[in-house]
Amino acid sequence: MKCSEALRKRIDELCKKYNLTYSSLSNKACGNSTISSFMSKPQETLYLPTIYCICLTLDISIKEFFDSPCFDQIDEILETRRKILMDENQEKSRKKKKGKGKKEDPDSKE
């Protein structure tokens, strides 16, 4: 799932929970149609200040906003995690190989 899809899903969940339409949330949080445009146009982007305004309007924290299963499977984040784990494993492997090639010096103070 893409991040924008997860954001749309979460906003939809919150609108249902608080019995709001996208338009009413948008007007209350932003004073314009930012949120309703984001929800209806796949190419639209939603920025953190807008998410913060949503949180203020709903009286929830940013943590509460993102504390949803819909953010657990974001493609971009999963790919970044995978790359980080691969890099960490490669680094560990390099250190092991480097350590095997060294001979212990009994007089070394390390």
Side-chain angles (χ1 to χ4, degrees):
M1 176 183 301
K2 293 195 177 290
C3 187
S4 58
E5 294 169 5
L7 286 169
R8 284 183 181 87
K9 187 174 181 180
R10 182 60 172 151
I11 290 169
D12 188 59
E13 289 174 357
L14 292 169
C15 281
K16 287 176 181 170
K17 179 178 179 178
Y18 290 91
N19 198 27
L20 295 167
T21 64
Y22 304 144
S23 181
S24 63
L25 177 61
S26 192
N27 288 328
K28 289 178 181 184
C30 308
N32 57 37
S33 62
T34 301
I35 298 165
S36 49
S37 292
F38 172 74
M39 295 301 284
S40 64
K41 298 176 185 171
Q43 71 276 13
E44 288 288 319
T45 305
L46 198 63
Y47 296 98
L48 194 54
T50 304
I51 294 170
Y52 181 68
C53 288
I54 292 170
C55 293
L56 289 175
T57 300
L58 301 177
D59 196 28
I60 62 173
S61 68
I62 293 280
K63 183 180 184 302
E64 287 172 291
F65 181 90
F66 287 105
D67 189 21
S68 170
C70 59
F71 294 108
D72 292 344
Q73 297 297 318
I74 297 175
D75 298 339
E76 298 94 337
I77 293 172
L78 293 172
E79 179 62 20
T80 301
R81 282 182 188 158
R82 187 187 66 74
K83 286 179 182 178
I84 289 170
L85 288 173
M86 282 179 52
D87 290 347
E88 287 175 351
N89 288 337
Q90 287 174 351
E91 184 63 25
K92 286 178 186 176
S93 180
R94 275 194 291 268
K95 285 181 180 179
K96 280 184 180 179
K97 286 179 183 176
K98 197 175 183 181
K100 286 182 181 178
K102 285 185 178 180
K103 290 191 175 179
E104 294 282 326
D105 182 0
D107 295 328
S108 175
K109 296 192 181 201
E110 291 184 76

